[in-house]
């Protein structure tokens, strides 16, 4: 697969077992550059497990990923981030006692170089790098819309702002693929609408998005293609409209959006 | 961090800096009125500041509980003692040994950290505690069959710091002003301490400092942001150990005597108490903690013992016991009621101001 | 061979004591995931209190059989330690249950220092001797000797451990403890009062610690305000060696540690004997001749180091211990 291929991420035959539970079975899919790719399924379908396997938190038992033309085997989470996959967490994991700005500045870590010498002697190069980290981080805070909270501790931000801050922090690592784990969870309608606009902006600016989401309205309105998991297996893949009509998907969700969050909750 | 740029320092701050510098310069002479012992206490306070700042990198910044920190102090002290004393008949100059002490302590830090840093936090605490004891037991016993450390007797007659014929241990009259040995050491220690403080401030406000704090706050999220947590934690250990080594070498030179007794578990705990009391992760707080807890036993000695004498006619509790008891109570009370320490970090304060302003 | 058997017998005795203390660490760790650094000091307080009671009774010339005098000391010590552990948990650990992990660890260290220095104030700085109430009559077992006292210690420890296993496996409280260890939130939802369960773990551990304190003091014949530190650390090592959070592991670890510890230190001496090495310097040659060819780099002075090395090696190579860790993964 060449680097110029239109496929950014290809997964083949991913399997993962936890003790007696087969969390993922032979899951294959591919994400095109520049698209928003949805990952849905009932609770416990294996979505977050897939995320954790992709981002190196767990090792897959079988199968492999190809990312940006090169295999993504046996990498640690930090190496995955370095290769260009950044993620957010279902239960927000910000650096609680640091300011919003510092959170984003930490996201710049892998794209900057200063070491002990630079830190202590503050040579010209280090100072320039620090300045660029700070200005880039302000830009990103502004981009997601929490610039006015730059100096607040992350834990004191409103819930929706925390979700946005987590996205800004992920964007700071300059990802090719941004993997979002339920970014709209707990948001009201207005916040979700603003989130949709943000995701549209991110795609327009050239970052591919992998989106786990329970808010079907958001998924159906924004995703180019959707992968449906149930019991750790892929049951459908296609455009939002196709997937919605797929009888297997309808069966998995027991006939619709309303019951979808109730089942196996 | 929103730190002020060098060019935008207001005159008020400059005035403060000048006043502080003047105060620090005159301090040993003021203290000398109360006796040379108080100058020595000032010197000890600075040693403890160095130690506490070193431990603060590990505990305060990176959030790794190290209960054997004093081992690195011991390594630094013995490196100096063995390379500048009649024990082996080696007398290297201090500016050669100082980096050597830092380097060897750093190597010990890496030696301990490399296999253990993947352990969970509480296991790390107990392993470092064990390591501290191992170093002390070795220092105590490496006098046979080959006499390396001179065992429990310790190493005596260690060279003081000396530049050419200028020795820091001798009293001297410079420009009509009489300087005692401890006073001369005071200025040298002040210089080194300021250096250590500046290095710590710069480390905190750097890419590495932020990475340490990220690991402290949430290791999994830090990894997901691309931080190589193993290396960065090891770096914290190594840096902390180096500062311990430097403080140890300076301790050797000022005391001119070292023995394993100075490096027990309680010393580790005392330094930890300084970090916790002042405010983990906040450099001014840690400095405050170190000063308070260095002065505490002296204050207790001069108040509690006469007080007991007056009340009961004899000393029932010696100052040392009360001191340790106070340390214990301070550790518990601070964690329960003021986990951010006596002097919380600037971010929190800024945050409080912002809140007060909008409310 | 008889010295080997002797080592095993001595190891078994001391190991029983380690195991009793290790159980206290392991129960608390299994349920709330805290290393209770102050547990070693509870052992020391147990020893000191029972010593005080026994000395007072002997001083008052009460005409009681020695067994009853010891029993009285034991009961008071157990009660004091249980109260102490209950109060300690309530004051120093409970408010921090949701705090970052570092916080309760630091208070635990603080508590340990407080207890040590209180003991120093009450009982002084000197070694206190324990009166010989049980004559150490030796019995010959296959060429090795085992005293009455040693037999009593092993038997009593065995009995207590059996009792603990019964509580944990067969009673409602034990079931609640196991449930809380698995998942405190869910256990709470099922109507278990978690505070009671956690207090129980501390209190039971403290009772065992008090017994262990009396045992170790009777065995060595001395007590000291600092005795809890090393004993606690070794017992913790035992708990980790067996697999922390695992009751059977604590027992196995205690006995195993003490059995490998004593002879282990001896073997280090033999292995590190440098006199067999070629090309020794002249000075070393002389020393070797002077000491009958026995010149060890590491002698029995390093016995305590040995325990630490075991701890570090276990944590690095098999952090879940020999029998595996029984702690629910709370990632």
């Amino acid at each position: 697969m060449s680097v110029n291929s239109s496929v950014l991420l290809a997964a083949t035959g991913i399997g993962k077992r936890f003790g007696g539970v087969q969390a993922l079975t032979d899951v294959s899919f591919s994400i095109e550059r520049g698209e928003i790719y949805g990952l849905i399924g009932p609770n416990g379908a294996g979505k977050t497990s897939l995320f954790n396997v992709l981002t190196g938190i767990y090792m897959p038992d079988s199968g492999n990923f190809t990312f940006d033309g090169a295999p993504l085997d046996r990498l640690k989470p930090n190496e995955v981030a370095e290769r260009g996959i950044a993620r957010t967490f279902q239960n927000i994991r910000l650096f609680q006692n640091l300011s919003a700005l510092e959170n984003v500045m930490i996201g710049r870590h892998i794209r900057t170089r200063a070491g002990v010498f630079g830190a202590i002697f503050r040579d010209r190069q280090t100072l320039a790098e620090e300045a660029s980290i700070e200005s880039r981080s302000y830009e990103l805070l502004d981009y997601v819309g929490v610039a006015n909270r730059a100096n607040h501790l992350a834990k004191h931000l409103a819930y929706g702002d925390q979700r946005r801050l987590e996205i800004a922090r992920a964007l700071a690592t300059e990802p090719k693929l941004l993997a979002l784990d339920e970014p709209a969870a707990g948001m009201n309608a207005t916040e979700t609408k603003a989130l949709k606009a943000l995701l549209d902006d991110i795609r327009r600016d050239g970052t591919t998005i992998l989106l786990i989401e329970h808010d079907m309205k958001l998924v159906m309105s924004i995703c180019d293609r959707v992968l449906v998991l149930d019991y750790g297996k892929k049951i459908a893949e296609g455009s939002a409209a196709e997937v919605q009509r797929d009888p297997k998907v309808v069966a998995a969700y027991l006939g619709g959006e309303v019951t979808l969050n109730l089942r196996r909750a | 961090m929103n730190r002020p740029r060098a060019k935008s320092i207001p005159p008020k701050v400059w005035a403060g800096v000048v006043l502080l510098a003047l105060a620090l310069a005159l301090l040993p002479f003021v203290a000398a009125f109360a006796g040379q012992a108080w100058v020595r206490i000032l010197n000890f306070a600075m040693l403890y500041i160095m130690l506490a700042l070193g431990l603060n990198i590990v505990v305060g910044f990176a959030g790794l509980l190290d209960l054997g920190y004093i081992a690195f102090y011991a390594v630094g002290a013995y490196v100096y003692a063995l390379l500048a004393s009649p024990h082996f008949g080696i007398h290297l100059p201090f500016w050669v040994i100082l980096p050597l002490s830092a380097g060897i302590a750093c190597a010990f830090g890496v030696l301990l950290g490399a296999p253990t840093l993947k352990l969970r936090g509480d296991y790390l605490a107990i392993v470092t505690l064990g390591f501290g004891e191992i170093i002390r037991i070795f220092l105590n016993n490496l006098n046979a069959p080959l006499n390396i450390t001179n065992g429990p007797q310790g190493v005596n007659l260690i060279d003081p710091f000396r530049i050419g014929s200028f020795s820091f241990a001798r009293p001297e009259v410079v420009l009509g002003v009489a300087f005692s040995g401890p006073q001369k050491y005071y200025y040298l220690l002040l210089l080194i301490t300021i250096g250590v403080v500046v290095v710590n401030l710069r480390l905190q406000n750097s890419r590495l400092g932020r990475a340490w704090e990220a690991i402290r706050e949430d290791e999994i999220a830090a990894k997901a942001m691309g931080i190589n947590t193993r290396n960065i934690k090891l770096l914290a250990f190594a840096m902390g150990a180096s500062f311990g080594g430097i403080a140890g070498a300076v301790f050797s030179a000022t005391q001119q005597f070292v023995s394993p007794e100075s490096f027990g578990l309680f010393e580790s705990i005392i330094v930890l108490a300084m970090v916790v009391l002042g405010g983990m992760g906040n450099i001014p707080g840690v400095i405050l903690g170190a000063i308070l807890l260095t002065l505490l036993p002296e204050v207790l000695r001069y108040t509690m013992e006469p007080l007991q004498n007056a009340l009961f006619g004899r000393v029932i509790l010696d100052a040392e016991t009360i001191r340790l008891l106070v340390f214990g109570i301070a550790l518990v009370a601070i964690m329960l009621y003021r986990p951010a320490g006596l002097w919380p970090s600037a971010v929190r304060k800024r945050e409080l101001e912002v809140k007060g302003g909008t409310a | 061979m008889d010295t080997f058997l002797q080592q095993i017998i001595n190891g078994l005795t001391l190991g029983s004591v380690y195991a009793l203390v290790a159980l206290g660490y392991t129960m608390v760790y299994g349920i709330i995931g805290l290393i209770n650094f102050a547990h070693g000091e509870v052992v020391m307080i147990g020893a000191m209190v029972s010593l005080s009671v026994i000395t007072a009774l002997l001083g008052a010339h009460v005409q009681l059989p020695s067994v009853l005098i010891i029993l009285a000391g034991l009961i008071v010590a157990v009660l004091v330690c249980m109260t102490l552990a209950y109060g300690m948990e309530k004051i120093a650990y409970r408010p921090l249950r949701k705090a970052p992990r570092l916080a309760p660890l630091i208070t635990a260290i603080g508590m340990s220092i407080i207890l040590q220095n209180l003991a120093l104030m009450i009982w002084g700085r000197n070694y206190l001797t324990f009166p010989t109430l049980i004559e150490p009559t030796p019995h010959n077992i296959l060429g090795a000797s085992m005293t009455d006292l040693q037999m009593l210690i092993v038997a009593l420890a065995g009995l207590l451990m059996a009792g603990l296993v019964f509580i944990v496996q067969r009673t409602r409280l034990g079931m609640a403890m196991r449930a809380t260890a698995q998942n405190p939130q869910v256990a709470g939802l099922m109507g278990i009062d978690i505070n009671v369960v956690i207090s129980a773990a501390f209190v039971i551990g403290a009772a065992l610690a008090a017994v262990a304190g009396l045992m170790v003091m009777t065995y060595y014949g001395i007590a000291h305000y600092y005795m809890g530190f090393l004993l606690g650390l070794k017992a913790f090592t035992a708990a980790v060696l067996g697999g922390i959070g695992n009751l059977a592991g604590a027992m196995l670890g205690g006995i195993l540690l003490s059995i490998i510890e004593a002879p282990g230190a001896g073997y280090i001496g033999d292995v590190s004997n440098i006199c067999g090495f070629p090309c020794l310097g002249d000075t070393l040659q002389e020393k070797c001749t002077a000491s009958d060819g026995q010149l060890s780099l590491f002698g029995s002075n390093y016995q305590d180091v040995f325990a630490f090395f075991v701890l570090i090696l276990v944590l690095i190579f098999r952090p879940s211990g020999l029998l595996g860790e029984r702690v629910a993964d709370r990632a």
Side-chain angles (χ1 to χ4, degrees), chain B residues 2 43 61 72-73 112 140 147 151 185 207 227 237 242 250 252 287 314 320 327 344 355-356:
Chain B
N2 266 349
N43 291 352
F61 293 168
F72 305 123
Y73 185 55
L112 172 66
N140 236 329
N147 189 357
Y185 262 119
R207 174 175 170 270
I227 293 171
F237 237 65
S242 310
V250 178
S252 252
I287 295 173
R314 66 198 170 95
E320 177 70 6
F327 282 178
K355 284 211 159 163

Side-chain angles (χ1 to χ4, degrees), chain A residues 212-232:
Chain A
I212 294 185
E213 194 42 74
H214 269 313
D215 186 326
M216 282 305 128
K217 229 171 91 192
L218 178 65
V219 171
M220 294 309 165
S221 66
I222 200 173
C223 291
D224 300 294
R225 286 189 307 139
V226 178
L227 169 72
V228 190
L229 287 182
D230 192 26
Y231 288 113

